[in-house]
Amino acid sequence: MTRSADDPFVSAVKPLVDAMGAEMLPPDEAGPDDVVLSWEGVDVVAVRLPQLADSLDHILAALERKRGKPLAELDRKAKQEVVRILEARGAFSVRHGVETVASALGVSRFTVYNYLNREKDA
């Protein structure tokens, strides 16, 4: 039995799936790396998690939406806060993470490293 998109369980998990940048699909289409969610013994929906690099882009877009303007338009203090948030979420463990963040913030890689080092010294 497959449940529809207006199912209460699917509706309940959708915000979390969206926040992760993941994709929901029918459980019978799940691949080996997908997570199948069950409710009351029934497979309800499969969740396809994004690749790490895609997650970083998704996180940057969410931060931009939350702040209401492009990250490059933020002041220095706000950019430092964004770097702090991204570090806590593991953004800099992704290959080219520093470069991706620097580009989104409109700063150099050196500046991002300075923001990171400032946090470690504090």
Side-chain angles (χ1 to χ4, degrees):
M1 170 175 126
T2 301
R3 298 188 183 189
S4 66
D6 61 346
D7 179 272
F9 181 83
V10 174
S11 297
V13 299
K14 186 173 182 351
L16 177 61
V17 171
D18 290 346
M20 293 185 314
E23 175 187 356
M24 293 194 298
L25 36 126
D28 58 342
E29 293 179 19
D33 294 330
D34 297 332
V35 178
V36 177
L37 302 177
S38 300
W39 182 254
E40 297 178 342
V42 177
D43 291 345
V44 179
V45 66
V47 177
R48 180 158 296 153
L49 301 172
Q51 298 297 312
L52 281 176
D54 295 336
S55 291
L56 179 53
D57 290 338
H58 187 78
I59 292 167
L60 289 167
L63 287 169
E64 218 167 64
R65 279 192 308 276
K66 184 176 182 179
R67 297 189 184 281
K69 61 180 168 181
L71 297 178
E73 294 179 8
L74 299 175
D75 63 25
R76 182 176 53 84
K77 185 174 179 172
K79 288 179 181 181
Q80 289 172 334
E81 182 183 335
V82 166
V83 168
R84 217 175 10 259
I85 291 166
L86 292 169
E87 183 178 29
R89 295 193 66 186
F92 302 110
S93 63
V94 176
R95 187 170 186 219
H96 303 297
V98 170
E99 292 86 347
T100 301
V101 171
S103 177
L105 294 175
V107 300
S108 68
R109 289 182 342 197
F110 181 74
T111 299
V112 172
Y113 284 119
N114 279 340
Y115 292 169
L116 290 167
N117 289 333
R118 182 167 296 146
E119 280 304 304
K120 290 180 178 128
D121 294 340

